[in-house]
Amino acid sequence: IAIFSQLNIQCMTLAGGALREGLVYGMLHLSVEQDIRSRTLRNIQRRFMIDTEQAQRVGGLASHLLSQLDGSWELDPLSRDLLLSACALHEIGLSVDFKRAPQHAAYLVNNL
């Protein structure tokens, strides 16, 4: 009800798509105590039984390589965060099929 008042919404219709909660927080300029992306990544890792220790090792390696290229690439903080998010989910396609894991991973990441 508070969101409806803040956004001056008179009514709501149920749709087939989903509105990400981060969009609502952004529109209201609210601070969020818990990082939504991190929470979402953890939930996806649990749901698809991703090897989180391996994901952390991959993230560590990616961070190490990025630190060596930092001067020439000049990535912004969001790009760094997205790289580490990709590391956290890099094995997600294996939960569907080993042989076509990259295709399944791309589909899942695009449609979750």
Side-chain angles (χ1 to χ4, degrees):
I1 295 175
I3 291 176
F4 278 53
S5 298
Q6 282 287 318
L7 298 175
N8 196 24
I9 297 173
Q10 303 301 318
C11 67
M12 180 172 77
T13 304
L14 183 62
L19 178 64
R20 301 277 182 195
E21 63 184 285
L23 178 62
V24 174
Y25 285 111
M27 290 171 65
L28 295 176
H29 305 291
L30 297 174
S31 62
V32 181
E33 291 181 24
Q34 187 177 14
D35 179 25
I36 295 170
R37 184 183 305 126
S38 296
R39 187 177 70 214
T40 302
L41 288 171
R42 282 192 308 275
N43 289 338
I44 292 171
Q45 286 176 325
R46 267 189 238 113
R47 179 177 172 190
F48 290 94
M49 295 180 287
I50 293 174
D51 182 353
T52 55
E53 291 178 7
Q54 175 64 8
Q56 288 175 350
R57 285 190 292 271
V58 171
L61 178 61
S63 294
H64 177 70
L65 293 172
L66 186 60
S67 68
Q68 293 178 3
L69 298 168
D70 201 25
S72 59
W73 281 17
E74 299 178 6
L75 291 179
D76 61 353
L78 177 60
S79 297
R80 292 172 193 270
D81 290 345
L82 291 176
L83 173 64
L84 294 177
S85 297
C87 292
L89 298 179
H90 82 282
E91 290 186 340
I92 193 170
L94 294 174
S95 65
V96 179
D97 180 43
F98 178 78
K99 291 183 180 179
R100 298 194 52 192
Q103 292 88 350
H104 291 296
Y107 177 82
L108 289 169
V109 169
N110 284 323
N111 292 288
L112 287 178

